[in-house]
Amino acid sequence: MDSRRLFRTSTTALAAAGLILSGCTSGSGAAAPAPSTASGAPAAALQKYYAQKLSWRDCGVANFQCATVRAPLDYAKPEGDQIELAVSRAKATGPGKRLGSLLVNPGGPGGSAVGYLQGYAGIGYPAPVRARYDLVGVDPRGVARSEPVECLTGPQMDTYTQADVTPDSAAEKQALEGAYKDFAAACEKRSGKVLPHVSTVEAARDMDIVRAALGDEKLSYVGASYGTFLGATYAELFPQRVGRLVLDGAMDPSLSAEDLNREQTGGFQTAIEAFAADCVKQSDCPLGTASVPAALAELQRFFRETDAKPLPTGESRKLGESLATTGVITAMYDEAAWPQLREALAQAMGGDGTSLLALADSYYEREPDGSYANLMFANAAVNCLDLPPAFAGPADVDASVASFEKASPVFGRNLAWAALNCTYWPTPATGRPHRITAEGAAPIVVVGTTRDPATPYRWAQSLADQLSSGTLLTYEGDGHTAYGRGSDCIDTAINAYLLEGTAPKDGKRCS
């Protein structure tokens, strides 16, 4: 079962740090008062945080260093409790003049920036960028190594992910409500102290403390997926401290939770249609080779069958409709995963759900020992603070299912019900949808992919239009995000911006 709105980076990053999406999306937090004086100096109560010096140590991973930085748990009470944030860096390798630090964030919310840095960005970003920047990852508060939000145990999470997210009766709706309520209660029980303080606004303020601790006058940053909202929020709070910001696979902070979820649902429909169009050309397509509509109809039939009769997987868990849908969604993030999905679907249609379950497990960051990373817990915690819930209850979902199914006949019903979980969250939302303009910021590059499943292209267009200094760079293709995914045109444009400060011409298109 999808936790809620989860944006994840590409499958390349999935292999490295594990990020993806699901039935909802993260929205904007209302801008908090800037934690600085008119001169730009930090307010007196925050001075001790801004004056920190990082103590770097070996990470146990070759060529990476680690440190921690302190931030106030509650920015309204900076003299109160503190929170420790995990930071990692790969120092600039040279040659060339060092340009400072480049922070990276892979999305989620809930994705580990430290894991992404050490598993991908610090070794896989273009060599000229790694040569001149110290690449830095900071796990946002509540995520991974930064005082993580904890909710369900491994066995409890196994049960949760198998809950029926396409309820067909009053009893099934009640059971789904119960699953969401139990999830929320577990998060409150195990992480009640931190739950009110994991918003995107607070994470953005933390980034400014990290910027100061790194010794950088301005923040340079590459954020993917949800990381674009984090970056845009930083620009809103600290426009004069914006250096070179790349927002890749952009979100639209002006949309409500319901609209974000519905439009994201349409993005997955676009992606599954692209997959089906490719599949019917392949001799091993398990959905047939007659036509795209026929292939999609076959996929829907398969989902219905797994709802009625879950498939064996070689272990105690079976592959029902929820996990089968999650497995398919996982492969939508990167077209390089399409052959793997064809094989998994063929196996499942032959009666064995093992490979499709493995795809779903990668989505949820489930380990072979049955434990889970905190991705899904942090995802819900952040999203449920950043926007008021999409629905007030099951009756609202019932009223909206038709519009979700119009957006996606394949995924609509599933993703409509997946948007219900924040309804029962124990901590009220502190954010509201609003436009982000970041007046006074230096040029910001917003990147959109025309057939992006998780962050529809229209969102990138909207964010670039909202930002007073936004410039839109378009990749005409498939998959989630564009930088570092094989387009020389995209990479050249972004590298020039990061290395020389030259933003691409607004409206530039690549394929």
Side-chain angles (χ1 to χ4, degrees):
M1 174 170 54
D2 300 327
S3 176
R4 191 179 179 230
R5 34 184 195 271
L6 172 63
F7 300 95
R8 303 193 61 163
T9 58
S10 69
T11 303
T12 302
L14 254 176
L19 303 184
I20 46 186
L21 165 150
S22 186
C24 295
T25 44
S26 177
S28 168
S36 60
T37 63
S39 67
L46 293 172
Q47 183 60 48
K48 66 179 180 181
Y49 294 106
Y50 275 84
Q52 292 176 85
K53 302 296 181 185
L54 296 179
S55 179
W56 295 105
R57 63 184 184 278
D58 181 72
C59 288
V61 180
N63 302 318
F64 291 94
Q65 297 175 309
C66 288
T68 57
V69 65
R70 291 173 290 108
L73 176 65
D74 184 350
Y75 275 92
K77 300 175 182 178
E79 300 298 339
D81 291 341
Q82 301 177 354
I83 192 167
E84 284 198 345
L85 308 173
V87 185
S88 183
R89 75 174 177 185
K91 295 191 71 173
T93 57
K97 181 181 178 182
R98 182 181 172 277
L99 294 174
S101 305
L102 178 66
L103 271 67
V104 297
N105 182 280
S112 170
V114 171
Y116 177 73
L117 174 77
Q118 295 177 359
Y120 173 64
I123 55 178
Y125 264 29
V129 174
R130 289 185 286 115
R132 300 184 62 191
Y133 281 101
D134 291 344
L135 295 191
V136 177
V138 183
D139 281 350
R141 53 175 59 207
V143 173
R145 300 162 180 83
S146 294
E147 303 197 22
V149 171
E150 296 293 348
C151 300
L152 302 178
T153 65
Q156 289 171 334
M157 191 64 179
D158 280 347
T159 299
Y160 179 75
T161 61
Q162 296 176 76
D164 187 348
V165 197
T166 56
D168 302 310
S169 66
E172 289 184 351
K173 291 174 186 178
Q174 188 175 10
L176 183 59
E177 273 192 284
Y180 286 140
K181 289 176 180 178
D182 290 347
F183 183 93
C187 295
E188 183 177 33
K189 181 178 180 179
R190 298 184 67 184
S191 302
K193 182 178 178 180
V194 74
L195 283 190
H197 303 294
V198 293
S199 70
T200 298
V201 165
E202 289 160 307
R205 295 178 72 162
D206 293 343
M207 283 207 303
D208 199 54
I209 289 175
V210 173
R211 172 202 58 79
L214 290 167
D216 293 316
E217 181 180 350
K218 295 190 175 184
L219 180 82
S220 291
Y221 172 84
V222 177
S225 198
Y226 160 80
T228 66
F229 175 52
L230 179 58
T233 301
Y234 180 90
E236 180 179 39
L237 291 171
F238 309 103
Q240 301 303 325
R241 298 179 196 165
V242 169
R244 298 169 187 177
L245 262 63
V246 177
L247 308 180
D248 185 11
M251 287 180 52
D252 182 351
S254 71
L255 297 177
S256 70
E258 182 178 354
D259 288 339
L260 279 166
N261 280 283
R262 186 185 294 108
E263 292 192 16
Q264 188 182 64
T265 298
F268 278 104
Q269 182 67 22
T270 298
I272 196 65
E273 288 175 359
F275 166 76
D278 177 77
C279 188
V280 297
K281 299 175 184 176
Q282 312 298 328
S283 60
D284 64 344
C285 180
L287 303 177
T289 57
S291 68
V292 169
L296 295 177
E298 179 65 11
L299 181 61
Q300 291 174 273
R301 183 197 63 78
F302 166 71
F303 286 152
R304 289 192 299 270
E305 287 188 353
T306 57
D307 187 29
K309 186 178 180 181
L311 298 172
T313 63
E315 57 169 281
S316 59
R317 290 181 301 154
K318 290 190 175 182
L319 185 84
E321 183 182 14
S322 292
L323 286 170
T325 302
T326 300
V328 172
I329 280 177
T330 302
M332 295 299 99
Y333 285 85
D334 191 335
E335 63 272 26
W338 291 357
Q340 182 183 357
L341 178 58
R342 291 198 304 271
E343 291 182 13
L345 283 172
Q347 184 186 69
M349 288 176 172
D352 182 356
T354 302
S355 294
L356 201 52
L357 178 64
L359 279 169
D361 283 349
S362 72
Y363 178 94
Y364 287 120
E365 293 195 354
R366 184 185 191 274
E367 299 297 331
D369 66 2
S371 64
Y372 287 77
N374 95 306
L375 170 67
M376 305 307 294
F377 310 144
N379 178 261
V382 174
N383 282 320
C384 295
L385 272 188
D386 278 351
L387 278 183
F391 301 118
D396 284 353
V397 183
D398 275 329
S400 296
V401 163
S403 66
F404 275 73
E405 289 184 324
K406 182 179 180 180
S408 174
V410 176
F411 300 119
R413 185 174 181 80
N414 182 301
L415 298 186
W417 283 100
L420 184 64
N421 75 324
C422 281
T423 302
Y424 310 105
W425 202 248
T427 305
T430 55
R432 295 294 183 272
H434 68 282
R435 292 173 61 85
I436 292 181
T437 61
E439 294 286 344
I444 298 172
V445 176
V446 179
V447 187
T449 297
T450 55
R451 293 186 293 279
D452 192 312
T455 51
Y457 177 63
R458 194 197 69 76
W459 293 359
Q461 293 175 301
S462 179
L463 181 59
D465 180 65
Q466 291 172 44
L467 291 167
S468 62
S469 60
T471 181
L472 179 64
L473 175 63
T474 297
Y475 173 58
E476 296 177 342
D478 297 293
H480 184 36
T481 73
Y483 186 46
R485 295 192 61 243
S487 169
D488 289 339
C489 175
I490 290 289
D491 291 356
T492 298
I494 292 176
N495 291 348
Y497 171 66
L498 291 175
L499 297 174
E500 302 162 18
T502 305
K505 183 180 179 180
D506 186 35
K508 179 178 176 63
R509 303 182 75 88
C510 297
S511 59

Tab-separated table of all heavy atoms in Angstrom, residues 98-145:
chain	number	residue	atom	x	y	z
A	98	ARG	N	38.134	25.594	-6.813
A	98	ARG	CA	37.000	25.073	-6.060
A	98	ARG	C	35.886	26.113	-6.017
A	98	ARG	O	36.123	27.303	-5.800
A	98	ARG	CB	37.449	24.715	-4.649
A	98	ARG	CG	36.371	24.112	-3.775
A	98	ARG	CD	36.913	23.799	-2.377
A	98	ARG	NE	35.849	23.394	-1.474
A	98	ARG	CZ	35.064	24.231	-0.818
A	98	ARG	NH1	35.208	25.538	-0.995
A	98	ARG	NH2	34.122	23.780	-0.010
A	99	LEU	N	34.660	25.646	-6.225
A	99	LEU	CA	33.512	26.548	-6.282
A	99	LEU	C	32.674	26.518	-5.006
A	99	LEU	O	31.626	27.150	-4.947
A	99	LEU	CB	32.613	26.177	-7.481
A	99	LEU	CG	33.243	26.384	-8.853
A	99	LEU	CD1	32.329	25.844	-9.948
A	99	LEU	CD2	33.533	27.866	-9.082
A	100	GLY	N	33.122	25.768	-3.987
A	100	GLY	CA	32.368	25.685	-2.753
A	100	GLY	C	31.634	24.366	-2.650
A	100	GLY	O	32.048	23.360	-3.230
A	101	SER	N	30.536	24.362	-1.925
A	101	SER	CA	29.762	23.149	-1.691
A	101	SER	C	28.558	23.094	-2.619
A	101	SER	O	27.963	24.126	-2.926
A	101	SER	CB	29.277	23.088	-0.239
A	101	SER	OG	30.360	23.200	0.665
A	102	LEU	N	28.214	21.888	-3.033
A	102	LEU	CA	26.997	21.654	-3.814
A	102	LEU	C	26.168	20.629	-3.062
A	102	LEU	O	26.520	19.448	-2.999
A	102	LEU	CB	27.332	21.143	-5.216
A	102	LEU	CG	26.143	20.812	-6.124
A	102	LEU	CD1	25.364	22.082	-6.468
A	102	LEU	CD2	26.605	20.118	-7.399
A	103	LEU	N	25.065	21.086	-2.442
A	103	LEU	CA	24.198	20.167	-1.725
A	103	LEU	C	23.320	19.415	-2.714
A	103	LEU	O	22.891	19.969	-3.728
A	103	LEU	CB	23.329	20.917	-0.717
A	103	LEU	CG	23.934	21.093	0.683
A	103	LEU	CD1	25.143	22.018	0.642
A	103	LEU	CD2	22.895	21.620	1.666
A	104	VAL	N	23.043	18.149	-2.409
A	104	VAL	CA	22.189	17.323	-3.265
A	104	VAL	C	21.088	16.696	-2.414
A	104	VAL	O	21.295	16.390	-1.237
A	104	VAL	CB	22.990	16.220	-3.983
A	104	VAL	CG1	24.027	16.832	-4.910
A	104	VAL	CG2	23.666	15.274	-2.992
A	105	ASN	N	19.923	16.552	-3.002
A	105	ASN	CA	18.817	15.868	-2.335
A	105	ASN	C	18.059	15.053	-3.363
A	105	ASN	O	17.667	15.576	-4.410
A	105	ASN	CB	17.872	16.863	-1.665
A	105	ASN	CG	16.752	16.166	-0.919
A	105	ASN	OD1	15.772	15.737	-1.501
A	105	ASN	ND2	16.904	16.043	0.399
A	106	PRO	N	17.800	13.747	-3.082
A	106	PRO	CA	17.207	12.866	-4.083
A	106	PRO	C	15.695	12.832	-4.110
A	106	PRO	O	15.109	12.212	-4.992
A	106	PRO	CB	17.748	11.498	-3.680
A	106	PRO	CG	17.814	11.584	-2.186
A	106	PRO	CD	18.215	13.006	-1.875
A	107	GLY	N	15.036	13.447	-3.131
A	107	GLY	CA	13.583	13.462	-3.160
A	107	GLY	C	12.955	12.678	-2.040
A	107	GLY	O	13.517	12.500	-0.971
A	108	GLY	N	11.781	12.180	-2.296
A	108	GLY	CA	11.001	11.456	-1.309
A	108	GLY	C	9.618	12.073	-1.187
A	108	GLY	O	8.798	11.885	-2.079
A	109	PRO	N	9.336	12.864	-0.138
A	109	PRO	CA	10.211	13.107	1.005
A	109	PRO	C	10.485	11.821	1.773
A	109	PRO	O	9.684	10.906	1.785
A	109	PRO	CB	9.413	14.098	1.861
A	109	PRO	CG	7.990	13.879	1.474
A	109	PRO	CD	8.007	13.487	0.027
A	110	GLY	N	11.662	11.797	2.388
A	110	GLY	CA	12.080	10.619	3.117
A	110	GLY	C	13.323	9.969	2.549
A	110	GLY	O	13.865	9.047	3.150
A	111	GLY	N	13.776	10.434	1.388
A	111	GLY	CA	14.978	9.861	0.794
A	111	GLY	C	16.232	10.340	1.506
A	111	GLY	O	16.350	11.514	1.868
A	112	SER	N	17.171	9.454	1.712
A	112	SER	CA	18.422	9.791	2.383
A	112	SER	C	19.370	10.495	1.422
A	112	SER	O	19.843	9.898	0.447
A	112	SER	CB	19.094	8.533	2.935
A	112	SER	OG	20.403	8.830	3.385
A	113	ALA	N	19.668	11.741	1.694
A	113	ALA	CA	20.636	12.471	0.867
A	113	ALA	C	22.040	11.942	1.092
A	113	ALA	O	22.863	11.955	0.172
A	113	ALA	CB	20.570	13.970	1.173
A	114	VAL	N	22.327	11.466	2.313
A	114	VAL	CA	23.642	10.880	2.580
A	114	VAL	C	23.808	9.597	1.766
A	114	VAL	O	24.841	9.377	1.119
A	114	VAL	CB	23.820	10.603	4.085
A	114	VAL	CG1	25.089	9.782	4.341
A	114	VAL	CG2	23.882	11.918	4.862
A	115	GLY	N	22.793	8.750	1.771
A	115	GLY	CA	22.849	7.528	0.983
A	115	GLY	C	22.956	7.817	-0.503
A	115	GLY	O	23.687	7.146	-1.238
A	116	TYR	N	22.211	8.808	-0.972
A	116	TYR	CA	22.250	9.201	-2.385
A	116	TYR	C	23.633	9.728	-2.760
A	116	TYR	O	24.172	9.393	-3.822
A	116	TYR	CB	21.183	10.260	-2.620
A	116	TYR	CG	21.134	10.839	-4.010
A	116	TYR	CD1	20.642	10.098	-5.077
A	116	TYR	CD2	21.558	12.146	-4.260
A	116	TYR	CE1	20.579	10.632	-6.350
A	116	TYR	CE2	21.500	12.684	-5.536
A	116	TYR	CZ	21.002	11.925	-6.575
A	116	TYR	OH	20.942	12.462	-7.831
A	117	LEU	N	24.229	10.538	-1.894
A	117	LEU	CA	25.563	11.072	-2.156
A	117	LEU	C	26.581	9.948	-2.247
A	117	LEU	O	27.354	9.867	-3.211
A	117	LEU	CB	25.963	12.049	-1.043
A	117	LEU	CG	27.402	12.558	-1.124
A	117	LEU	CD1	27.533	13.626	-2.201
A	117	LEU	CD2	27.880	13.080	0.226
A	118	GLN	N	26.578	9.075	-1.252
A	118	GLN	CA	27.602	8.036	-1.192
A	118	GLN	C	27.374	6.923	-2.216
A	118	GLN	O	28.326	6.296	-2.673
A	118	GLN	CB	27.648	7.439	0.217
A	118	GLN	CG	28.080	8.431	1.281
A	118	GLN	CD	28.046	7.849	2.684
A	118	GLN	OE1	27.685	6.689	2.886
A	118	GLN	NE2	28.429	8.657	3.665
A	119	GLY	N	26.102	6.704	-2.588
A	119	GLY	CA	25.803	5.623	-3.519
A	119	GLY	C	25.746	6.037	-4.966
A	119	GLY	O	25.849	5.207	-5.866
A	120	TYR	N	25.566	7.355	-5.217
A	120	TYR	CA	25.439	7.786	-6.606
A	120	TYR	C	26.109	9.136	-6.890
A	120	TYR	O	27.072	9.206	-7.639
A	120	TYR	CB	23.970	7.839	-7.021
A	120	TYR	CG	23.784	8.448	-8.395
A	120	TYR	CD1	24.307	7.823	-9.523
A	120	TYR	CD2	23.123	9.661	-8.555
A	120	TYR	CE1	24.166	8.390	-10.779
A	120	TYR	CE2	22.982	10.239	-9.810
A	120	TYR	CZ	23.501	9.597	-10.921
A	120	TYR	OH	23.369	10.164	-12.160
A	121	ALA	N	25.611	10.216	-6.292
A	121	ALA	CA	26.046	11.555	-6.711
A	121	ALA	C	27.547	11.758	-6.547
A	121	ALA	O	28.204	12.329	-7.419
A	121	ALA	CB	25.282	12.621	-5.923
A	122	GLY	N	28.098	11.291	-5.423
A	122	GLY	CA	29.512	11.524	-5.148
A	122	GLY	C	30.452	10.760	-6.054
A	122	GLY	O	31.649	11.057	-6.106
A	123	ILE	N	29.925	9.776	-6.779
A	123	ILE	CA	30.756	9.012	-7.713
A	123	ILE	C	30.207	9.057	-9.134
A	123	ILE	O	30.929	8.765	-10.089
A	123	ILE	CB	30.885	7.541	-7.261
A	123	ILE	CG1	29.503	6.901	-7.072
A	123	ILE	CG2	31.682	7.440	-5.971
A	123	ILE	CD1	29.531	5.443	-6.672
A	124	GLY	N	28.942	9.452	-9.292
A	124	GLY	CA	28.303	9.382	-10.593
A	124	GLY	C	27.982	10.713	-11.242
A	124	GLY	O	27.657	10.751	-12.432
A	125	TYR	N	28.046	11.807	-10.479
A	125	TYR	CA	27.831	13.114	-11.097
A	125	TYR	C	28.952	13.376	-12.108
A	125	TYR	O	30.046	12.826	-11.992
A	125	TYR	CB	27.824	14.201	-10.024
A	125	TYR	CG	26.440	14.592	-9.540
A	125	TYR	CD1	25.380	13.690	-9.546
A	125	TYR	CD2	26.190	15.872	-9.059
A	125	TYR	CE1	24.123	14.049	-9.100
A	125	TYR	CE2	24.932	16.239	-8.603
A	125	TYR	CZ	23.904	15.333	-8.627
A	125	TYR	OH	22.661	15.697	-8.185
A	126	PRO	N	28.705	14.229	-13.096
A	126	PRO	CA	29.751	14.509	-14.090
A	126	PRO	C	31.071	14.914	-13.445
A	126	PRO	O	31.092	15.695	-12.481
A	126	PRO	CB	29.147	15.660	-14.898
A	126	PRO	CG	27.659	15.442	-14.794
A	126	PRO	CD	27.441	14.938	-13.391
A	127	ALA	N	32.158	14.380	-13.973
A	127	ALA	CA	33.483	14.601	-13.388
A	127	ALA	C	33.830	16.081	-13.237
A	127	ALA	O	34.420	16.471	-12.213
A	127	ALA	CB	34.545	13.885	-14.217
A	128	PRO	N	33.514	16.956	-14.209
A	128	PRO	CA	33.857	18.377	-14.026
A	128	PRO	C	33.166	19.001	-12.818
A	128	PRO	O	33.724	19.900	-12.182
A	128	PRO	CB	33.391	19.016	-15.332
A	128	PRO	CG	33.391	17.916	-16.331
A	128	PRO	CD	32.958	16.704	-15.560
A	129	VAL	N	31.959	18.551	-12.504
A	129	VAL	CA	31.244	19.075	-11.331
A	129	VAL	C	31.891	18.558	-10.054
A	129	VAL	O	32.135	19.317	-9.109
A	129	VAL	CB	29.752	18.685	-11.393
A	129	VAL	CG1	29.025	19.083	-10.106
A	129	VAL	CG2	29.084	19.346	-12.595
A	130	ARG	N	32.217	17.264	-10.019
A	130	ARG	CA	32.865	16.690	-8.836
A	130	ARG	C	34.259	17.259	-8.629
A	130	ARG	O	34.763	17.303	-7.504
A	130	ARG	CB	32.928	15.166	-8.966
A	130	ARG	CG	31.556	14.502	-8.832
A	130	ARG	CD	31.635	12.984	-8.844
A	130	ARG	NE	31.905	12.447	-10.174
A	130	ARG	CZ	32.979	11.803	-10.537
A	130	ARG	NH1	33.951	11.593	-9.657
A	130	ARG	NH2	33.122	11.335	-11.773
A	131	ALA	N	34.878	17.706	-9.708
A	131	ALA	CA	36.225	18.259	-9.606
A	131	ALA	C	36.235	19.587	-8.863
A	131	ALA	O	37.175	19.895	-8.126
A	131	ALA	CB	36.834	18.436	-10.997
A	132	ARG	N	35.168	20.371	-9.013
A	132	ARG	CA	35.219	21.753	-8.518
A	132	ARG	C	34.293	22.040	-7.347
A	132	ARG	O	34.371	23.102	-6.741
A	132	ARG	CB	34.948	22.701	-9.680
A	132	ARG	CG	35.985	22.538	-10.804
A	132	ARG	CD	35.799	23.530	-11.908
A	132	ARG	NE	35.957	24.891	-11.442
A	132	ARG	CZ	35.639	25.964	-12.155
A	132	ARG	NH1	35.128	25.803	-13.369
A	132	ARG	NH2	35.813	27.172	-11.666
A	133	TYR	N	33.425	21.106	-7.029
A	133	TYR	CA	32.555	21.257	-5.861
A	133	TYR	C	32.837	20.163	-4.829
A	133	TYR	O	33.095	19.007	-5.203
A	133	TYR	CB	31.081	21.119	-6.253
A	133	TYR	CG	30.443	22.334	-6.890
A	133	TYR	CD1	30.276	22.390	-8.271
A	133	TYR	CD2	29.967	23.382	-6.106
A	133	TYR	CE1	29.654	23.482	-8.869
A	133	TYR	CE2	29.336	24.480	-6.693
A	133	TYR	CZ	29.185	24.527	-8.069
A	133	TYR	OH	28.571	25.605	-8.658
A	134	ASP	N	32.730	20.521	-3.551
A	134	ASP	CA	32.537	19.507	-2.528
A	134	ASP	C	31.070	19.106	-2.613
A	134	ASP	O	30.178	19.946	-2.402
A	134	ASP	CB	32.808	20.072	-1.133
A	134	ASP	CG	34.277	20.396	-0.880
A	134	ASP	OD1	35.132	19.919	-1.656
A	134	ASP	OD2	34.550	21.136	0.082
A	135	LEU	N	30.780	17.852	-2.920
A	135	LEU	CA	29.389	17.403	-2.966
A	135	LEU	C	28.952	17.015	-1.552
A	135	LEU	O	29.657	16.280	-0.862
A	135	LEU	CB	29.224	16.221	-3.909
A	135	LEU	CG	29.497	16.484	-5.397
A	135	LEU	CD1	29.036	15.305	-6.238
A	135	LEU	CD2	28.832	17.755	-5.875
A	136	VAL	N	27.788	17.519	-1.137
A	136	VAL	CA	27.345	17.380	0.247
A	136	VAL	C	25.917	16.852	0.284
A	136	VAL	O	25.047	17.335	-0.452
A	136	VAL	CB	27.415	18.727	0.990
A	136	VAL	CG1	26.877	18.587	2.416
A	136	VAL	CG2	28.848	19.262	1.009
A	137	GLY	N	25.686	15.863	1.134
A	137	GLY	CA	24.336	15.360	1.379
A	137	GLY	C	23.967	15.558	2.837
A	137	GLY	O	24.771	15.290	3.726
A	138	VAL	N	22.768	16.035	3.086
A	138	VAL	CA	22.251	16.218	4.442
A	138	VAL	C	20.933	15.465	4.545
A	138	VAL	O	19.982	15.780	3.824
A	138	VAL	CB	21.998	17.704	4.766
A	138	VAL	CG1	21.534	17.853	6.210
A	138	VAL	CG2	23.227	18.553	4.496
A	139	ASP	N	20.865	14.473	5.410
A	139	ASP	CA	19.583	13.816	5.643
A	139	ASP	C	18.655	14.803	6.340
A	139	ASP	O	18.978	15.279	7.436
A	139	ASP	CB	19.759	12.569	6.517
A	139	ASP	CG	20.286	11.376	5.743
A	139	ASP	OD1	20.340	11.448	4.497
A	139	ASP	OD2	20.650	10.374	6.380
A	140	PRO	N	17.517	15.148	5.722
A	140	PRO	CA	16.606	16.074	6.385
A	140	PRO	C	16.122	15.522	7.723
A	140	PRO	O	16.132	14.314	7.963
A	140	PRO	CB	15.443	16.190	5.383
A	140	PRO	CG	16.032	15.811	4.069
A	140	PRO	CD	17.041	14.751	4.392
A	141	ARG	N	15.713	16.399	8.588
A	141	ARG	CA	15.221	15.979	9.908
A	141	ARG	C	14.119	14.931	9.768
A	141	ARG	O	13.239	15.027	8.918
A	141	ARG	CB	14.717	17.180	10.698
A	141	ARG	CG	13.691	18.037	9.965
A	141	ARG	CD	13.143	19.147	10.834
A	141	ARG	NE	14.175	20.050	11.320
A	141	ARG	CZ	14.080	20.749	12.453
A	141	ARG	NH1	12.991	20.637	13.207
A	141	ARG	NH2	15.050	21.554	12.826
A	142	GLY	N	14.227	13.895	10.589
A	142	GLY	CA	13.266	12.805	10.546
A	142	GLY	C	13.582	11.718	9.550
A	142	GLY	O	12.858	10.719	9.467
A	143	VAL	N	14.684	11.878	8.800
A	143	VAL	CA	15.007	10.962	7.698
A	143	VAL	C	16.313	10.213	7.978
A	143	VAL	O	17.319	10.824	8.345
A	143	VAL	CB	15.135	11.735	6.372
A	143	VAL	CG1	15.630	10.825	5.252
A	143	VAL	CG2	13.811	12.386	6.001
A	144	ALA	N	16.283	8.904	7.805
A	144	ALA	CA	17.486	8.055	7.807
A	144	ALA	C	18.354	8.289	9.044
A	144	ALA	O	18.002	7.885	10.142
A	144	ALA	CB	18.268	8.251	6.516
A	145	ARG	N	19.483	8.998	8.876
A	145	ARG	CA	20.436	9.174	9.972
A	145	ARG	C	20.160	10.410	10.820
A	145	ARG	O	20.889	10.668	11.781
A	145	ARG	CB	21.854	9.244	9.390
A	145	ARG	CG	22.277	8.003	8.611
A	145	ARG	CD	23.468	8.313	7.711
A	145	ARG	NE	23.919	7.160	6.936
A	145	ARG	CZ	23.371	6.766	5.779
A	145	ARG	NH1	22.320	7.409	5.291
A	145	ARG	NH2	23.860	5.734	5.131
